[in-house]
Amino acid sequence: TAVSETSPKLRAELEGIPTYKPGKPAAADGPVAYKLSSNENPYPPLPGVMETVTAAAAFFNRYPDMACTSLMAELSDRFGVPLAHLATGTGSVGVAQQLIQATSGPGDEVIYAWRSFEAYPIITQISGARSVQVPLTPGEVHDLDAMADAITDRTRLIFVCNPNNPTGTVVRRAELERFLDRVPSDVLVVLDEAYREFIRDAEVPDGVEFYRERPNVCVLRTFSKAYGLAGLRVGFAIAHEPVAAALRKTAVPFGVSQIAQEAAIASLRAEDELIGRVGSLVCERARVADALRAQGWTVPESQANFVWLRLGERTLAFANACEQAGVVVRPFAGEGVRVTVGESEANDIFLKVSEEFR
Ligand code: PMP
């Protein structure tokens, strides 16, 4: 067409990547009472964190501290890791993108379970690397044996999403250990622990344990979920020196605002209160999952702040019914819906719709 003749050459890898329409909100539009579609924290910011943010706002004519010095110092103390083993980014999705940029390009392969976090295929495709998607087991959990079998000499990166988005299922210590033993030491394994704080299963390891023993393990964490800072965009990685340095090289300069850095520090210091809120969400998760099972649904055991309902062809109808009732959920067409555990009133609305669909 005339447009493509005059258009600058764009990378072929961008073809087929979904994007939002300018001028139209990416989230569901129209008035909805409750948003259960993005695994956000339903609690409003803590007053103390708000105060910190307000004070930091007085300086937004200045660039932030590019090195996130105070936040990195706080993280270094808290996790008992050297500063050189830390890197921050604009949300953990930003750090995931840096990880791909640092490791993978055309001809390389990135392995992850599927279905899993929607960003993995997108950021892999943008890099020019090839996605190797290993189906979840019928029980909706990572098939780590099949993932290890998928490793080739082109594999550069493996994501293990623990708990997995959108199923909420987990990988336990012994099986992760066995898997890591099979991964060559020059392949980076990213343990994406965005929902770490919601885990109550004692068999699920803290990824940091594995990072300590293995130079090819990187732990990815975020302030968006348990810490309630989704809108401020702060994530970080814990990895050995060469990987962490590569992440600092590939970061967007000044990508983490000063407001975000200070809110993250304030949140770490207010952790007791925030973790208390997580406890309430975990109780609510049990209430929602039990209610769904009592209604006759098969619900995989979720260790995150959402539940997964397999609906097949009824997925979009279900999501529409939820929206009519006042809650927005996240449909994956033909597969199922992921529903964030939110305010109890919101969860009740969702449970009413699920009852009607039984
Ligand atoms: N990893 C997983 C598994 C997620 O579900 C999400 C958010 N949906 C992220 C990373 C990214 O979150 P953020 O960029 O807000 O840290």
Side-chain angles (χ1 to χ4, degrees):
T1 68
V3 173
S4 65
E5 276 162 26
T6 58
S7 153
K9 280 199 166 61
L10 299 172
R11 291 175 57 229
E13 285 86 359
L14 300 183
E15 261 166 53
I17 290 182
T19 179
Y20 55 88
K21 280 206 175 63
K24 188 172 174 293
D29 27 12
V32 279
Y34 298 104
K35 184 172 172 224
L36 300 181
S37 53
S38 298
N39 300 341
E40 293 152 334
N41 193 316
Y43 289 96
L46 290 174
V49 176
M50 276 295 267
E51 269 167 41
T52 304
V53 163
T54 310
F59 302 96
F60 65 45
N61 55 316
R62 304 291 180 187
Y63 286 103
D65 170 7
M66 185 158 89
C68 296
T69 319
S70 306
L71 174 57
M72 298 262 282
E74 196 86 20
L75 292 170
S76 165
D77 265 7
R78 188 174 183 292
F79 288 98
V81 303
L83 284 172
H85 289 202
L86 288 164
T88 52
T90 52
S92 56
V93 73
V95 184
Q97 192 152 25
Q98 290 159 240
L99 278 162
I100 295 206
Q101 217 186 338
T103 56
S104 312
D108 295 332
E109 293 171 356
V110 176
I111 299 176
Y112 50 87
W114 199 249
R115 175 167 286 280
S116 189
F117 182 30
E118 308 99 280
Y120 301 154
I122 297 171
I123 58 185
T124 301
Q125 190 177 332
I126 291 170
S127 77
R130 194 170 79 81
S131 276
V132 177
Q133 301 184 334
V134 178
L136 296 170
T137 68
E140 316 266 18
V141 301
H142 277 63
D143 188 342
L144 289 179
D145 288 333
M147 288 175 73
D149 290 341
I151 296 170
T152 71
D153 56 7
R154 302 315 312 253
T155 306
R156 293 290 174 274
L157 193 64
I158 304 174
F159 284 105
V160 176
C161 190
N162 201 25
N164 188 49
N165 172 5
T167 56
T169 51
V170 289
V171 162
R172 297 194 173 79
R173 182 174 286 102
E175 47 176 338
L176 189 55
E177 184 106 55
R178 198 167 58 235
F179 171 72
L180 291 172
D181 285 342
R182 288 189 61 193
V183 179
S185 58
D186 61 354
V187 173
L188 185 62
V189 179
V190 180
L191 304 177
D192 183 344
E193 299 187 332
Y195 304 96
R196 165 82 210 153
E197 296 80 4
F198 298 95
I199 295 173
R200 291 295 178 273
D201 180 336
E203 300 280 302
V204 181
D206 182 331
V208 178
E209 290 171 27
F210 288 99
Y211 137 84
R212 290 195 202 283
E213 296 159 6
R214 298 172 194 256
N216 66 332
V217 168
C218 170
V219 178
L220 197 54
R221 297 278 182 95
T222 182
F223 284 95
S224 297
K225 311 294 179 183
Y227 291 86
L229 302 184
L232 290 180
R233 315 306 302 127
V234 204
F236 63 97
I238 301 176
H240 288 261
E241 165 107 54
V243 175
L247 290 175
R248 294 196 290 272
K249 292 177 195 176
T250 49
V252 172
F254 306 110
V256 184
S257 73
Q258 199 63 34
I259 292 176
Q261 293 179 37
E262 294 188 22
I265 295 168
S267 302
L268 285 170
R269 293 182 183 161
E271 203 164 48
D272 289 351
E273 227 169 324
L274 291 170
I275 294 305
R277 291 175 164 191
V278 167
S280 306
L281 291 169
V282 166
C283 291
E284 194 60 15
R285 170 178 79 200
R287 182 179 78 88
V288 170
D290 290 348
L292 289 168
R293 291 188 187 114
Q295 290 172 5
W297 296 92
T298 302
V299 186
E301 179 61 43
S302 173
Q303 292 287 307
N305 65 339
F306 50 83
V307 292
W308 173 242
L309 268 197
R310 213 166 247 292
L311 285 143
E313 296 312 312
R314 296 192 300 159
T315 296
L316 295 182
F318 186 92
N320 281 334
C322 285
E323 202 167 327
Q324 293 304 314
V327 296
V328 185
V329 300
R330 174 65 58 91
F332 295 92
E335 297 180 53
V337 295
R338 186 193 69 201
V339 185
T340 307
V341 175
E343 303 86 342
S344 51
E345 315 85 78
N347 304 333
D348 286 341
I349 297 173
F350 157 61
L351 288 171
K352 241 177 110 192
V353 176
S354 63
E355 173 93 77
E356 284 157 16
F357 264 70
R358 245 354 263 168

